[in-house]
Amino acid sequence: MAQVLEFRLPDLGEGLTGAEIVRWLVEVGDVVAVDQPVVEVETAKAMVDVPCPYAGVVTARFGEEGSELPVGAPLITVAVGASAPDGSTEAPGGSTEASGGAAGGSGNVLVGYGTSEAPARRRRVRPTPAVPAAANGRSIPAEPVEEPEAGAPAVVDGPVPVISPLVRRLARENGLDLKELTGSGPDGLILRADVEYALRAAAVQTRTAPVPSATPATAPATTPGGTRVPLKGIRGAVADKLSRSRTEIPDATCWVDADATELMRARAAMNATGAPKISLLALLARICTAALARFPELNSTVDMAAREIVRLDAVHLGFAAQTERGLVVPVVKDAHARDTEALSEEFARLTEAARTGTLTPAELTGGTFTLNNYGVFGVDGSTPIINHPEAAMLGVGRIVPKPWVHEGELAVRQVVQLSLTFDHRVCDGGTAGGFLRYVADCVEQPAVLLRTL
């Protein structure tokens, strides 16, 4: 007899609470193998193919293309051990091991879906064409579906298992009793998504409850000729992060003009050798890593819960990239350990991945310092907003010919404006000014870098 298992949207990366369905890769009735991608989703970080940890026949899909699902919401149900429409029980590619269902385990580890054997308690689900959804998005079975095995341990009183103290605090601050929730994590572990589901369900019930009023209801105010654009996907993630930065970080900005003529000449000389081309961004990144080695205070983060400044050993350099999907910040890991040529190659690779929308969540997270070359937009200066939870961001304007006093005479030189926005909690203005001055000196005299190579 076939067993129908429900596969929920897994946690796809740090800080991600949901995803938008871009394209279904399977239809109801299709036979799927373990770890076969079943849906393509777009998160606030990247496009991701989601693999299914079960092998069997797809009996239901949840959500249309273009709809958003929170982490933990049902994606598909799979009948494990069921026969395909042609009578075959074999998974695609002839894999008999994959058709063993959950007992074999998935080799593609996702948060909440590991590679261990099936747990002692099984959940039996009645195969139906569709499952009605509650107000909070969870499926509601028509009758009890859980049948614990004989000898299963009884529920004991004690603390309710949650994935982190933050989840417990979120429930406590909103007056939510965790004992009334059923966790969707391993062994009933309560995830943040479970608490958020319950809070949204309570909010929906409150909004839909009739409220007696002496005055007639009025339609919501609208702006004539206006259009409301949902803050979701990358745009929503950017909005949340920038708002959090402005709210939590007491930032300050300093700036300086620099003569970049010698830097441009040095780059031209490097690129005249026939070796792979060196980008201007790579040169600026190499200057940044050298400056951070001198001023490590700016490669840090603030832990207000512990009231500590955490100075980071490695420099993971983020750089702002504008794409058709919006602003993204890919991260060059261990930038401090790369030379200029290696930095140039990695920038090119990540920029192409950003353009095609194939950046992974790992390539979009973990930055410790950000380089923002807004000069590509044809502007001279800006006051960048720090990429939370980092401590600083270097902004670079366009390089243009301007009158400049050079060696005591007025001359036309290639001038650039540099700006540094920094978290005033990690350092004072003297440190920030010293960092920016060192960067400007390296731009004006690239030979200064030779002392640290």
Side-chain angles (χ1 to χ4, degrees):
M1 180 177 178
Q3 181 184 19
V4 180
L5 301 178
E6 184 181 76
F7 175 48
R8 298 170 180 266
L9 179 65
D11 185 347
L12 300 171
E14 63 177 79
L16 300 179
T17 59
E20 178 180 338
I21 297 175
V22 176
R23 180 168 59 99
W24 282 105
L25 305 178
V26 296
E27 301 287 344
V28 173
D30 286 355
V31 179
V32 294
V34 172
D35 291 341
Q36 176 181 335
V38 294
V39 65
E40 181 181 352
V41 300
E42 180 181 22
T43 71
K45 304 288 187 182
M47 302 281 282
V48 179
D49 287 341
V50 180
C52 178
Y54 312 127
V57 178
V58 178
T59 59
R61 301 187 318 191
F62 299 90
E64 300 296 328
E65 293 181 355
S67 62
E68 288 193 43
L69 293 179
V71 169
L75 267 181
I76 62 172
T77 55
V78 179
V80 176
S83 298
D86 61 358
S88 170
T89 59
E90 186 176 359
S95 173
T96 57
E97 181 181 355
S99 64
S106 167
N108 198 342
V109 179
L110 294 170
V111 177
Y113 298 90
T115 57
S116 60
E117 295 181 355
R121 292 169 60 96
R122 297 284 187 178
R123 184 176 296 274
R124 189 175 299 164
V125 183
R126 174 174 301 190
T128 55
V131 181
N136 62 356
R138 292 184 178 277
S139 59
I140 303 178
E143 61 186 60
V145 296
E146 187 176 64
E147 296 182 10
E149 291 182 355
V155 178
V156 296
D157 293 332
V160 179
V162 297
I163 196 168
S164 76
L166 292 177
V167 174
R168 195 182 301 277
R169 186 178 69 179
L170 178 64
R172 183 175 63 250
E173 290 175 349
N174 289 274
L176 186 64
D177 186 358
L178 290 173
K179 294 183 179 180
E180 297 178 357
L181 302 184
T182 300
S184 60
D187 298 325
L189 184 68
I190 294 179
L191 309 179
R192 183 185 181 93
D194 299 323
V195 175
E196 292 175 341
Y197 274 132
L199 295 178
R200 281 195 291 268
V204 170
Q205 293 175 359
T206 302
R207 289 196 299 267
T208 56
V211 178
S213 176
T215 58
T218 58
T222 59
T223 303
T227 302
R228 289 182 176 268
V229 180
L231 276 175
K232 63 180 184 178
I234 287 184
R235 188 73 260 159
V238 170
D240 293 339
K241 194 149 205 174
L242 297 183
S243 298
R244 186 175 182 183
S245 179
R246 278 293 192 222
T247 302
E248 296 184 10
I249 299 178
D251 59 351
T253 302
C254 52
W255 57 90
V256 66
D257 289 340
D259 180 2
T261 305
E262 296 303 323
L263 181 68
M264 300 302 288
R265 288 176 179 171
R267 177 173 177 253
M270 293 178 188
N271 292 338
T273 61
K277 300 293 185 181
I278 301 297
S279 67
L280 177 62
L281 191 62
L283 289 173
L284 294 170
R286 184 63 188 88
I287 292 172
C288 274
T289 58
L292 289 172
R294 285 175 168 254
F295 301 92
E297 297 91 338
L298 295 171
N299 191 55
S300 61
T301 187
V302 177
D303 184 351
M304 287 303 294
R307 299 194 67 80
E308 294 176 341
I309 297 173
V310 183
R311 292 185 182 173
L312 305 170
D313 297 328
V315 177
H316 302 317
L317 189 66
F319 66 99
Q322 192 71 35
T323 70
E324 293 181 356
R325 298 173 60 239
L327 177 68
V328 295
V329 184
V331 178
V332 177
K333 299 299 173 63
D334 296 317
H336 63 290
R338 300 174 186 259
D339 59 23
T340 307
E341 188 171 289
L343 286 169
S344 189
E345 292 175 356
E346 186 67 356
F347 279 128
R349 185 188 71 82
L350 291 174
T351 299
E352 177 61 19
R355 186 187 65 81
T356 57
T358 57
L359 287 168
T360 65
E363 292 170 332
L364 287 163
T365 54
T368 64
F369 186 93
T370 297
L371 176 61
N372 186 358
N373 181 19
Y374 46 74
V376 296
F377 302 118
V379 297
D380 296 325
S382 176
T383 54
I385 298 177
I386 297 174
N387 189 19
H388 185 280
E390 298 170 13
M393 177 185 291
L394 178 68
V396 182
R398 61 175 180 165
I399 301 176
V400 293
K402 287 185 178 181
W404 190 267
V405 177
H406 176 66
E407 296 180 351
E409 296 183 357
L410 188 63
V412 176
R413 306 285 286 180
Q414 300 293 320
V415 178
V416 62
Q417 185 180 98
L418 307 170
S419 62
L420 177 72
T421 298
F422 63 99
D423 186 339
H424 228 314
R425 295 173 297 180
V426 304
C427 69
D428 295 326
T431 300
F435 174 92
L436 189 58
R437 187 63 257 172
Y438 178 80
V439 170
D441 289 344
C442 290
V443 167
E444 294 185 338
Q445 302 177 54
V448 172
L449 274 176
L450 295 175
R451 295 181 60 89
T452 58
L453 294 180

